Amino acid sequence: MTIIKRIVPVIFLAANIFIAKAQTIVAVESQKNALVLQVTPKKQLNALYFGTKLANQSEYAAIAKQYRYISHTGEANMAYSTAGSIDILEPALAVTHADGNRSLALKYVDHTTTKISDNITLVSINLRDSVYNFDVTLNYQTYIKENVTEQWTVIKHHEKKDVVLNKYASANLYLQSDGYWLNHYHGEWAQEMKPEEEKLSHGIKTLDSKLGTRADLFQPPVFMVSLNKPATEDEGEVLYGNLEWSGNYKIDFEVDPNNNLRLIAGINNHAADYTLKPNTEFVTPKFVYILSDKGKGDASRSLQSWARKYKIADGEGPRLTLLNNWESTFFDFNEPKLAELLKTTKTLGVDLFLLDDGWFGNKYPRNGDKSGLGDWEVTKNKLPNGIAYLTKTAAEAGVKFGIWIEPEMVNPKSELYEKHPDWVVKQPQRPEYYMRNQLVLDLTNPKVQDFVYGIVDDLFTKNPTLAYIKWDCNSVIFNANSATIAHQGNFYTDYVFGLYKVLERIRAKYPKVPLMLCSGGGGRVDYGALKYFTEFWDSDNTDPLERVFIQWEYSYFYPALTSSNHVTDWGKQPIKFRTDVAMMGKLGFDIVVAKLKPEELTYAQGAVSLYKEYSEAIWHGDQYRLQDPWKNDVASVMYVDPNQSKAIMFNYLVSNRYRSGTIRPITLKGLLDDKMYTIKEVNMMPGQRSSIPGGTYSGKFLMTVGINPAVGAGDRASVIVSIEEK
């Protein structure tokens, strides 16, 4: 952080020049970038610049000379815009004071810089309203080497009565460019992460969710904005953004009259006017972003590195391979069936057996999705000896044991619903509406928080060797209303705060247990949740061809070790193709091992062994997307270990057109020019012969000429290539 005082002329109107007196410049710097803010003589905090860091820091003060702002108020580039005063564009913050007044005009007070570590700096800028006793602190936490910034806001007031927050964004960025191309995503169940790119025009484009839970079902809180022209994998200036929040969100993109982009991101204020008591801090979720001038690949690798180091639970640790029973048994299982599956878990060579839905409920047994949810007691006629028997059987088989739960939800046909109807989110005057035959529990209620925490704690207390939890969430919130809170406008926001309180308690007591974040597929994937979870379930769609595209798009924002990919019977592809696709992340299986043909079992066992050999590169290495499945017959992606001595390249045929495949070589990335690397095809079916031109090549050759993985129809539809330093 740099403070510079200079005489800076700032031009706001074509016809008026305001000569500034001594002004404070705050430069929030990373290794490559700088976000530059300016305090005007009237104590207004403006955004001047966001881009490549300048070598001469004193020149930041001269930036304002270079721009002509056409503005009637001089507030078009406020660092945190407010409603009701003289800013007439979209606000980041809007409030209703205790006396009913709805204006706010924040002025700069001071700022502090805290060095959290050699790589992390926190700049906190204090603002105060000029009339009301109302304070806002803007926080910019920068991860210097990764060029990543987390931004959030702390809102507090000292008025005599409650104040209502009508909008309360986490961040308000200001970007200057000749044009802006927004890449965002839409979807539905089993259709997650479908990309769309459009040029932003004047006015406002909004990405948002109003679903309450499973908030990413239609649209996730991630995006890219390319500046000047659409960025490619290796070229162009691009901003990645991701709101760390597991509920309703709103991200506004406003191209203003000066052709600059105002970006406002935070909790969705729809039906969420938040009542804030005096002397109480409201802390918004963090908005994480990274700006790269070297294209999408550079931005995603930096974001992935940051996430592993600083955000994801055990992000620098290992992951467990597993066998899940869901698609092999669904709800139809008992102890003998599961005991047999536990044995095949060891045969397959994976680390853990995961018991999915259907193990609980007695008065209303969980034999389908219409009953039992909420009654977390073992179904006696299915599992007479309880979970303890299964954990013991797993240990005897030489594998770990994990279990599925959906603790935020309840079936109306359950003992929990009968005992505690007031714990359920519903409007008392309206008919109940169900999604997957269930309702949502009210996590704004401390008693419900204790109950949900108790589900997990009870499982671990009774089964101390339990090694894994799959946490599901299958319903959105309909008829939003809490029976216990006074201000219903607080509900959507306090629900997520309640969820986080539960997860914080779980992580405090069980800090290392792997937790999978599942939400009917990718319905809840964000860094607010991944702070507590080791991985997420990308989609219930496990067709491997579909998964190539889904996993590809998630990889822009999340590292491979968070992406849970299972080999199932979805799709028409052979087991090799299915397994190769699942290896591009955190590998799991959801098949009946006993039904595999001998050669398929041999292949699968070898694939698990190979996966573990290259897991360091996949989990903790750099990812390079080599060939886009949306634009080519073949998708290609590689992972390079941190030492650049070992890499693995995945190639998948995604087109069945005549003669589709790799005609030309694919150039590799991330290697060292002067190192020699041995290339060979791996993970082949028994008896299959390689068709690639193997051998030893320099890194320069591989990254200039490349190699042809010989992908084509039939047994060449999926090809994995290993690259190892000689």
Side-chain angles (χ1 to χ4, degrees):
M1 186 284 302
T2 305
I3 304 174
I4 310 159
K5 294 195 174 181
R6 288 287 186 274
I7 305 299
V8 182
V10 183
I11 302 174
F12 289 113
L13 282 169
N16 295 288
I17 300 175
F18 298 92
I19 305 299
K21 297 180 179 179
Q23 296 180 17
T24 300
I25 299 292
V26 181
V28 181
E29 294 183 317
S30 66
Q31 190 174 68
K32 296 180 180 178
N33 299 324
L35 175 66
V36 182
L37 307 173
Q38 174 198 53
V39 182
T40 72
K42 294 182 179 181
K43 297 296 184 181
Q44 180 175 299
L45 184 68
N46 286 349
L48 281 188
Y49 173 80
F50 184 25
T52 302
K53 182 171 69 173
L54 301 183
N56 185 354
Q57 295 178 338
S58 64
E59 290 186 321
Y60 289 135
I63 290 175
K65 297 177 184 179
Q66 310 305 321
Y67 292 91
R68 297 178 66 205
Y69 297 105
I70 303 171
S71 171
H72 295 287
T73 64
E75 298 200 3
N77 60 331
M78 285 179 65
Y80 194 69
S81 54
T82 56
S85 184
I86 60 173
D87 185 9
I88 54 178
L89 298 177
E90 183 67 21
L93 180 62
V95 306
T96 303
H97 296 285
D99 64 359
N101 189 290
R102 302 191 70 167
S103 67
L104 199 64
L106 298 174
K107 303 298 181 182
Y108 171 86
V109 177
D110 57 25
H111 71 274
T112 59
T113 301
T114 305
K115 185 177 181 180
I116 296 174
S117 72
D118 289 342
N119 192 48
I120 306 174
T121 300
L122 173 64
V123 176
S124 298
I125 305 173
N126 296 310
L127 309 175
R128 182 169 296 153
D129 186 73
S130 54
V131 175
Y132 289 89
N133 200 346
F134 193 100
D135 298 304
V136 171
T137 301
L138 307 182
N139 296 286
Y140 303 82
Q141 184 159 294
T142 301
Y143 301 80
I144 298 168
K145 292 179 182 178
E146 291 78 19
N147 299 296
V148 168
T149 298
E150 288 182 301
Q151 187 174 340
W152 72 97
T153 303
V154 179
I155 302 167
K156 189 175 183 179
H157 74 92
H158 308 280
E159 300 182 31
K160 293 182 179 180
K161 295 182 180 179
D162 295 349
V163 167
V164 177
L165 307 181
N166 305 113
K167 188 175 182 182
Y168 34 100
S170 300
N172 186 171
L173 293 181
Y174 189 72
L175 297 133
Q176 298 152 328
S177 169
D178 291 336
Y180 311 92
W181 281 260
L182 173 65
N183 195 87
H184 57 102
Y185 298 87
H186 68 96
E188 238 286 12
W189 178 80
Q191 300 175 74
E192 290 83 354
M193 294 299 285
K194 291 185 175 293
E196 289 182 335
E197 187 169 58
E198 60 188 284
K199 185 176 183 181
L200 292 172
S201 57
H202 290 85
I204 299 178
K205 168 77 176 183
T206 297
L207 309 179
D208 77 341
S209 172
K210 303 179 183 72
L211 303 180
T213 54
R214 202 175 173 185
D216 301 0
L217 180 60
F218 301 144
Q219 194 165 61
V222 296
F223 64 87
M224 310 173 200
V225 174
S226 298
L227 308 180
N228 299 306
K229 62 181 181 180
T232 65
E233 194 68 23
D234 300 308
E235 294 181 346
E237 194 171 9
V238 62
L239 175 80
Y240 279 30
N242 190 330
L243 188 67
E244 301 179 26
W245 183 246
S246 305
N248 294 346
Y249 67 87
K250 184 178 184 183
I251 305 172
D252 295 316
F253 303 86
E254 182 174 20
V255 179
D256 70 16
N258 296 310
N259 299 316
N260 298 316
L261 178 63
R262 293 156 52 96
L263 194 164
I264 299 172
I267 296 172
N268 197 336
N269 56 315
H270 169 77
D273 290 325
Y274 197 92
T275 301
L276 186 65
K277 296 183 180 299
N279 306 308
T280 303
E281 286 190 346
F282 183 92
V283 182
T284 69
K286 294 177 179 178
F287 174 62
V288 60
Y289 52 90
I290 178 171
L291 180 68
S292 171
D293 62 359
K294 291 184 172 59
K296 298 176 181 179
D298 177 72
S300 67
R301 284 187 291 279
S302 295
L303 190 63
Q304 290 168 2
S305 176
W306 164 81
R308 288 191 298 264
K309 292 178 185 176
Y310 300 109
K311 187 56 58 173
I312 297 160
D314 198 22
E316 296 188 289
R319 293 296 184 265
L320 296 170
T321 55
L322 61 82
L323 175 65
N324 192 8
N325 74 301
W326 177 244
E327 293 197 18
S328 58
T329 69
F330 295 101
F331 295 99
D332 183 19
F333 58 81
N334 53 30
E335 279 182 359
K337 266 191 182 180
L338 295 181
E340 190 59 34
L341 288 174
L342 281 163
K343 294 176 185 176
T344 61
T345 305
K346 182 65 174 177
T347 302
L348 186 60
V350 296
D351 305 309
L352 177 137
F353 175 79
L354 172 62
L355 175 60
D356 216 291
D357 194 359
W359 58 268
F360 50 88
N362 283 298
K363 181 178 179 181
Y364 303 106
R366 183 72 169 174
N367 295 321
D369 63 11
K370 295 182 179 180
S371 65
L373 195 59
D375 300 343
W376 300 100
E377 54 184 21
V378 177
T379 305
K380 294 176 182 177
N381 64 353
K382 280 187 181 180
L383 305 173
N385 295 300
I387 302 301
Y389 168 80
L390 297 175
T391 59
K392 180 183 176 184
T393 305
E396 290 171 351
V399 296
K400 299 177 184 294
F401 184 84
I403 202 165
W404 176 97
I405 56 173
E406 191 176 3
E408 300 166 66
M409 306 291 162
V410 62
N411 285 130
K413 192 174 182 180
S414 68
E415 291 185 81
L416 178 67
Y417 185 87
E418 292 175 346
K419 293 175 182 176
H420 299 287
D422 57 320
W423 284 11
V424 176
V425 176
K426 59 180 179 176
Q427 290 281 358
Q429 303 302 319
R430 300 190 185 280
E432 294 175 356
Y433 189 85
Y434 309 130
M435 186 172 186
R436 205 184 181 230
N437 305 298
Q438 62 194 51
L439 295 164
V440 180
L441 293 175
D442 180 8
L443 278 173
T444 68
N445 184 340
K447 292 181 180 178
V448 175
Q449 293 172 23
D450 290 341
F451 170 77
V452 174
Y453 169 78
I455 295 166
V456 179
D457 189 46
D458 186 61
L459 279 168
F460 282 118
T461 300
K462 293 179 179 177
N463 309 283
T465 61
L466 187 65
Y468 187 95
I469 294 284
K470 178 181 177 182
W471 182 301
D472 214 339
C473 169
N474 280 293
S475 181
V476 304
I477 291 176
F478 300 102
N479 294 326
N481 181 75
S482 169
T484 57
I485 63 174
H487 303 287
Q488 294 302 318
N490 292 25
F491 170 75
Y492 280 120
T493 302
D494 282 350
Y495 179 93
V496 182
F497 286 149
L499 171 65
Y500 289 165
K501 285 179 182 178
V502 172
L503 293 170
E504 283 165 9
R505 289 173 66 185
I506 291 170
R507 274 305 179 203
K509 190 168 182 181
Y510 307 102
K512 290 294 185 180
V513 175
L515 302 179
M516 181 203 287
L517 176 62
C518 182
S519 190
R524 180 189 279 164
V525 184
D526 63 86
Y527 281 120
L530 284 171
K531 175 182 176 181
Y532 308 103
F533 290 84
T534 51
E535 59 222 57
F536 66 87
W537 182 235
D538 300 36
S539 176
D540 280 350
N541 186 343
T542 55
D543 181 307
L545 186 59
E546 298 284 350
R547 272 295 190 126
V548 170
F549 293 86
I550 293 170
Q551 292 166 200
W552 180 276
E553 296 302 331
Y554 273 123
S555 77
Y556 284 110
F557 303 96
Y558 303 101
L561 85 170
T562 62
S563 177
S564 292
N565 310 326
H566 290 183
V567 181
T568 73
D569 290 328
W570 279 49
K572 300 177 181 178
Q573 293 78 10
I575 191 168
K576 172 173 166 53
F577 192 99
R578 288 180 275 146
T579 306
D580 288 356
V581 172
M583 289 172 69
M584 193 175 65
K586 208 226 75 169
L587 176 64
F589 290 82
D590 201 337
I591 56 176
V592 181
V593 178
K595 291 184 179 180
L596 294 177
K597 298 175 183 177
E599 65 272 18
E600 291 177 330
L601 177 59
T602 299
Y603 162 79
Q605 291 168 328
V608 172
S609 178
L610 180 82
Y611 177 78
K612 292 181 177 181
E613 181 183 349
Y614 283 88
S615 60
E616 183 62 24
I618 297 170
W619 296 342
H620 305 123
D622 284 331
Q623 181 196 55
Y624 294 88
R625 287 173 293 271
L626 306 179
Q627 199 160 275
D628 191 333
W630 300 98
K631 300 175 182 178
N632 298 278
D633 291 344
V634 174
S636 183
V637 62
M638 70 180 290
Y639 301 89
V640 183
D641 77 357
N643 298 320
Q644 294 173 284
S645 60
K646 194 172 187 176
I648 188 165
M649 175 191 187
F650 297 93
N651 306 277
Y652 312 108
L653 183 68
V654 295
S655 170
N656 287 320
R657 298 293 300 274
Y658 177 65
R659 297 186 70 180
S660 295
T662 50
I663 305 300
R664 299 179 179 87
I666 297 173
T667 53
L668 308 190
K669 299 175 186 177
L671 306 175
L672 294 175
D673 282 353
D674 56 355
K675 275 191 177 181
M676 300 300 294
Y677 295 92
T678 299
I679 306 298
K680 66 176 180 179
E681 183 174 354
V682 294
N683 219 43
M684 292 177 285
M685 288 294 291
Q688 183 183 4
R689 297 179 63 182
S690 176
S691 299
I692 73 166
T696 300
Y697 306 88
S698 68
K700 183 73 171 178
F701 177 93
L702 293 171
M703 294 189 293
T704 304
V705 178
I707 60 167
N708 191 326
V711 177
D715 63 4
R716 304 300 304 170
S718 175
V719 176
I720 298 181
V721 178
S722 72
I723 304 104
E724 291 198 38
E725 182 182 4
K726 185 177 179 182

